Amino acid sequence: MRNQGGGSGLGLWTHEIGGQTGLGQSGGFDGFTASVFHFPARDISIACMSNASAVPMKAIVDQVLTTVLVRGY
């Protein structure tokens, strides 16, 4: 599923942040959003889900990943 040769890699997309590359997917439907990514080099995974639209899911995921991957918390 990591093969990106065909474009989507069978549903997994890359997500780069802080010089780290993860694989996963984000999406939403009917007011709910979800994201799940795995960063194999660090052996870290993140999964987030929300039904609130005040803050975009990408902003939440990016802030958590920056805190963990860049700041080392």
Side-chain angles (χ1 to χ4, degrees):
M1 292 181 69
R2 295 179 184 177
N3 181 0
Q4 299 294 317
S8 67
L10 299 174
L12 295 179
W13 294 92
T14 58
H15 186 76
E16 295 185 25
I17 190 159
Q20 304 285 319
T21 301
L23 297 167
Q25 184 62 270
S26 290
F29 179 76
D30 204 18
F32 291 87
T33 57
S35 292
V36 62
F37 290 99
H38 178 68
F39 290 79
R42 298 283 297 271
D43 198 26
I44 293 173
S45 297
I46 182 173
C48 295
M49 179 177 66
S50 176
N51 66 346
S53 61
V55 179
M57 179 61 70
K58 182 174 179 359
I60 295 168
V61 170
D62 285 351
Q63 186 62 48
V64 171
L65 289 172
T66 297
T67 300
V68 173
L69 297 174
V70 177
R71 297 183 187 138
Y73 295 112

